[in-house]
Amino acid sequence: MTAPLTDNIGSREHRRGSTFVRLLKRPAGAISFAILVLIVLVAVFAPLLAPYDPNFVDLAITRAAPSPEHPLGGDTTGRDVLSRLIYGTRITLWGAFVAVGTSIVIGVPSGLAAGYFGGRTDRIGTWISDAVQSVPGMIILLIVGANTGNNFDLLMITVGVFMAPGYFRLTRSTVLAVRNEPYVDAARVAGLSNTRIMTRHVIRPVLAPIVIQSALTAGMAMGMQAGLQFLGIGGGTTPGWGAAMNEGFRVMRTDPLLLLWPSLALGISIAALAVLGSTLADVISVKTTTLTRRQRRRLAATNADALPAGAVEAATGSVSHAAADSAVRLENLRVKHETPRGVVEVVHGITLDVAPGEVLGIVGESGSGKSQTVFSMLDLLPKSGYYTADAIWIGGEDVTRLPRAARAKLLGHRIGYVPQEPMTNLDPSFTVGHQLTEPLRAVHGMSRSVAKARALAMLERVGIADPARVMRSYPHELSGGMAQRVLIAGAIAGRPSVLVADEPTTALDVTVQAEVLELLRELQQEYRMALVIVTHNFGVVADICDRVVVMRSGSIEEIGETTRLFAAPEREYTRELIAASLDGAESRGELDRAAREPAGSTRAADPAAATQNTDASDEADRREVRA
Amino acid sequence: MSTIEKPLLEVSDLVVAYGTRREPTPVLHGVSLQVGAGECLGLVGESGSGKSTLGKAVLGLVPVASGTITFDGRDITHAKGRDRRELAADIQVVFQDPYGSLDPLMTVGDILAEPLATAGTGRAEAKAAVGEMLDRVRLPKNVLDRYPREFSGGQRQRIAIARALVRRPRLIICDEPVSALDLTTQATILELLIELQRDSGVSYLFVSHDLGVVRRVCHRVAVMYRGDLVETGDGEQITNDPQHAYSRRLLMASPVADPVLQAERREAWLALRAEQAA
């Protein structure tokens, strides 16, 4: 949904902090974040918080049990355990910081370059990343430790290097996805240098995943660091948690608490980072809330009760045939969708019908509810949607009274469906033959050979030159026009009495569109099917429809015979839509000549007509709503 | 407009190939055309005809295998780096997809000011220019702080047009700029493009698959078919009475929003189809 231009800007504040706010709204996010803040505070204020110097030896408290002066007791050499833990926070955080920093500095720019420039840069970067990952990191760390006198910072930098491929791959894949967006091309055309494009446009979508990755990497770095110190590498005189664990491990049988405290500190820190990372990932990726079945039922119930009678939009439309004589008849159809903001009605009680052998067009702009209407007819509304209707007659039977399974059986039998996007409606992993014969066998109970013969006959009927070869093909081997013919063959294979086509030619070239329309016309006449075509194109309506339903914002504007509707539209809106088709409108040459000549001298220059047209279409632009 | 003394854009014998260097698949086989100052040249054809590729070659977004592209007497066929960036002052683009062509993480104000900032325009001057462009494309000033997702397709396309115009270029490549829009929105955007052209004298290379749209905005029209230019001529003539067999098929295949005329056109199309099959 698009917000109208006029609403105020105040809502932005709310949105800006929303990721963080949403994170804190989740208990896991709030708790892990609080723990991490606490750990950072402890590290920063260690000198104030620690009761003793961490390296001060008081032999009297050697292996002492907890006491009021030493809440966690003393260690094997007589140092205060609590103070050492508090100071250990500093070294642990610093180590994690160095490792993560190194990883980011190496991994992000190289991933950015590899993803953005591609080609050789990408191949070299990926090769190095793979090579680093195949080196046993622990051995390298031991070598570095041995040769640098256990230099802690250097060890953590090495840890960072080994974690850099994670950042490289993450950055590279995100950039690859962004790189082909038209806005990156637009930036190039606007004269931005590569560096500028990368820092202004390409890196931003990478930031959120990097933050998540860093939380997880920091936890891993802490674990690595503790592990190294546990082995006696990189500890030095610093009171690290790993070193404390090592010491505790040696006296585990006599003084188990000495092992417990540092392990707890490390465990809690790493767990907090891991939980924070995964909650953050959840918060960022989940944009829409999905409702459970029960919530949906409750919403539907409250909505039906709560709506005052006056708030319901009046039903629109009319019928032209008796219920028993119509192929399809909708009575007072309402379609509603659940959104995070509540239930929204998108079709406001429409009534229409189509007779056997009749071609009905449903036209309207985006947001008019035309597709929702046919999806209700087919019982194929998306999960968030549901409909109510006084009745939906298909072939003289009210299908709203049918159980779900019986209703589903009508699909393919009594009512066939041709979708808008031919390619996405074929499963890429099965052959065309399989996809055509499967429903015939499942729904119509045909044997394998009968189904195959029927499918071949249908493919031939829809004008496919070599049906046997197409049966063996996979969808990607077909052109868009061929794919649409295959889907039409599938839709009519069950000999339905009604064929519903949702924008069947919108994704096709005009030359292919003409062929597909011709085919639909032939099939409709041959089988005396009722044909319902949803379209936004008045040329398509003029070409094939007997009657037209004009929809706008979920209601019917007018219904009429095609010739009458074009010749004398009852509604201003219909007239506007037909005029917007540009057929018969002035060409650029005529417009220019009219602009040069004084007003009123030609038809094209009639200023009243011109202004009226502009006003009407401006209003249409404001009205335009995208779902 | 039909006679061009000195074309602003001249494309001669342009060959563009995709695929690997060893196995190139040519998508343009030697196309030549000219666009005059203040002129709109339409480029029509079906998908795969190479019409969008031609526009991209002019913008430097695809490499040219052979042939030349001359802008205002200057050879820009292989302009790279600084030379290409300098062309941004003169050649701009409006893409088809109003959803993908604006960076979703930038405010409209930043999107519009970016080309100016790149050119080194001062902040105050840029702000004034952006304000003027918003007026021109009829968007209110309060859109500056908002993000692209808050706008409808038509409004986004207005923003994209404002971005293309903000440096006052002499040529805009319009790559199917209205084909993703509703009919009534499409009409207003075309109106706007015509008005902007009259006011500023900018030239358009207008790529579209829709003959009705092209007839409305273009002075001249070039018809492309499978990488070749099959016919070029006056906009009215091509959209009323094309000469080449393919152009005729294309015209007769486009349905008219009038049942009577469409019935005639369908007959004509069926006759052409039968002729082609024979």
Side-chain angles (χ1 to χ4, degrees), chain A residues 357-586:
Chain A
E358 186 180 40
V359 183
L360 181 76
I362 303 183
V363 279
E365 301 205 296
S366 45
S368 63
K370 56 190 192 302
S371 290
Q372 300 295 321
T373 301
V374 297
F375 286 152
S376 309
M377 231 181 248
L378 298 160
D379 203 19
L380 288 177
L381 282 172
K383 266 211 157 135
S384 66
Y386 58 93
Y387 69 82
T388 59
D390 293 350
I392 295 180
W393 301 86
I394 295 177
E397 184 180 13
D398 183 359
V399 297
T400 55
R401 293 169 203 286
L402 290 178
R404 243 195 139 73
R407 176 80 193 273
K409 274 202 168 162
L410 293 181
L411 263 180
H413 244 322
R414 219 179 285 170
I415 186 162
Y417 171 52
V418 180
Q420 172 171 6
E421 293 281 348
M423 276 307 179
T424 51
N425 280 282
L426 286 169
D427 188 330
S429 43
F430 292 100
T431 60
V432 166
H434 179 85
Q435 294 182 59
L436 284 178
T437 52
E438 191 61 31
L440 290 174
R441 295 175 60 201
V443 180
H444 300 269
M446 293 184 187
S447 72
R448 187 183 292 269
S449 54
V450 174
K452 193 178 168 197
R454 170 73 71 88
L456 277 170
M458 282 303 148
L459 283 179
E460 197 162 0
R461 179 60 201 88
V462 298
I464 281 175
D466 187 353
R469 191 182 57 79
V470 169
M471 287 278 275
R472 289 192 303 271
S473 314
Y474 284 90
H476 70 264
E477 299 170 89
L478 308 177
S479 68
M482 286 256 265
Q484 193 59 297
R485 282 173 196 268
V486 166
L487 284 166
I488 291 173
I492 59 163
R495 302 275 156 80
S497 50
V498 186
L499 187 62
V500 175
D502 181 19
E503 302 262 11
T505 58
T506 304
L508 307 174
D509 280 321
V510 277
T511 42
V512 185
Q513 164 172 297
E515 296 280 356
V516 168
L517 286 176
E518 185 59 27
L519 173 65
L520 285 174
R521 185 197 334 276
E522 286 170 20
L523 292 172
Q524 182 266 332
Q525 285 167 1
E526 195 174 315
Y527 296 114
R528 295 301 299 157
M529 281 185 298
L531 176 59
V532 178
I533 283 201
V534 173
T535 181
H536 67 277
N537 185 334
F538 273 86
V540 171
V541 173
D543 185 68
I544 197 169
C545 297
D546 301 319
R547 276 196 312 138
V548 194
V549 174
V550 181
M551 287 190 71
R552 174 191 192 177
S553 318
S555 297
I556 290 177
E557 278 277 316
E558 82 171 280
I559 300 183
E561 299 287 328
T562 305
T563 37
R564 196 279 298 157
L565 192 111
F566 277 93
E570 277 168 14
R571 306 288 295 225
E572 179 57 24
Y573 180 68
T574 310
R575 198 194 59 78
E576 243 175 62
L577 279 182
I578 296 173
S581 305
L582 294 174
D583 291 313
E586 295 90 4

Side-chain angles (χ1 to χ4, degrees), chain B residues 51 87 117 146 224 247:
Chain B
K51 57 189 194 302
L87 280 172
R146 310 180 66 175
M224 292 196 63
S247 318

Side-chain angles (χ1 to χ4, degrees), chain B residues 86-159:
Chain B
E86 276 170 8
L87 280 172
D90 287 323
I91 307 180
Q92 276 304 321
V93 67
V94 176
F95 286 114
Q96 168 178 10
D97 175 10
Y99 292 85
S101 65
L102 306 175
D103 188 334
L105 298 173
M106 283 170 80
T107 62
V108 172
D110 288 342
I111 289 171
L112 295 182
E114 185 170 57
L116 294 169
T118 309
T121 312
R123 212 166 248 264
E125 205 181 317
K127 204 177 164 196
V130 166
E132 196 199 319
M133 279 310 143
L134 283 182
D135 279 349
R136 282 237 171 146
V137 300
R138 304 220 186 80
L139 285 171
K141 288 275 193 303
N142 69 7
V143 305
L144 287 175
D145 288 329
R146 310 180 66 175
Y147 289 89
R149 63 165 177 272
E150 299 174 54
F151 298 94
S152 68
Q155 291 162 345
R156 283 171 190 236
Q157 213 56 319
R158 283 172 194 264
I159 296 167

Side-chain angles (χ1 to χ4, degrees), chain A residues 253-417:
Chain A
R253 297 206 179 167
T254 49
D255 300 280
L257 282 181
L258 286 183
L259 178 59
L260 178 68
W261 302 126
S263 309
L264 261 185
L266 186 66
I268 291 173
S269 308
I270 294 179
L273 281 167
V275 170
L276 185 75
S278 57
T279 317
L280 204 55
D282 264 8
V283 165
I284 287 172
S285 62
V286 175
K287 290 223 168 69
T288 52
T289 46
T290 34
L291 303 172
T292 63
R293 193 171 270 267
R294 181 190 287 179
Q295 281 173 315
R296 207 179 306 161
R297 267 207 304 273
R298 203 182 317 140
L299 256 175
T302 51
N303 199 50
D305 298 341
L307 271 182
V312 179
E313 296 212 27
T316 47
S318 62
V319 291
S320 311
H321 315 280
D325 298 340
S326 58
V328 176
R329 173 165 168 157
L330 306 178
E331 291 176 19
N332 192 19
L333 173 80
R334 290 178 190 272
V335 181
K336 294 171 190 177
H337 278 271
E338 283 125 11
T339 68
R341 282 165 296 170
V343 175
V344 175
E345 190 176 88
V346 292
V347 175
H348 313 297
I350 62 163
T351 298
L352 58 86
D353 64 353
V354 52
E358 186 180 40
V359 183
L360 181 76
I362 303 183
V363 279
E365 301 205 296
S366 45
S368 63
K370 56 190 192 302
S371 290
Q372 300 295 321
T373 301
V374 297
F375 286 152
S376 309
M377 231 181 248
L378 298 160
D379 203 19
L380 288 177
L381 282 172
K383 266 211 157 135
S384 66
Y386 58 93
Y387 69 82
T388 59
D390 293 350
I392 295 180
W393 301 86
I394 295 177
E397 184 180 13
D398 183 359
V399 297
T400 55
R401 293 169 203 286
L402 290 178
R404 243 195 139 73
R407 176 80 193 273
K409 274 202 168 162
L410 293 181
L411 263 180
H413 244 322
R414 219 179 285 170
I415 186 162
Y417 171 52

Side-chain angles (χ1 to χ4, degrees), chain A residues 2 5 12 183 189 191 200-201 204 365-366 509 511 515 521 543 583 586-588 592 617 621 626, chain B residues 46-47 99-100 103 105 114 150 158 180 182 184 197-198 215-217 219 236 257 262 266 273:
Chain A
T2 315
L5 270 178
R12 263 187 67 209
Y183 66 80
V189 174
R200 294 267 295 182
H201 296 278
R204 289 193 194 196
E365 301 205 296
S366 45
D509 280 321
T511 42
E515 296 280 356
R521 185 197 334 276
D543 185 68
D583 291 313
E586 295 90 4
S587 71
R588 180 63 192 268
D592 283 357
S617 38
D621 192 23
R626 294 246 168 203
Chain B
E46 54 193 37
S47 50
Y99 292 85
D103 188 334
L105 298 173
E114 185 170 57
E150 299 174 54
R158 283 172 194 264
D182 272 334
T184 47
Q197 182 163 50
R198 282 189 187 143
R215 175 184 156 82
R216 185 70 168 181
V217 283
H219 301 106
E236 264 158 84
Q262 176 53 24
R266 192 196 315 140
R273 188 168 76 149

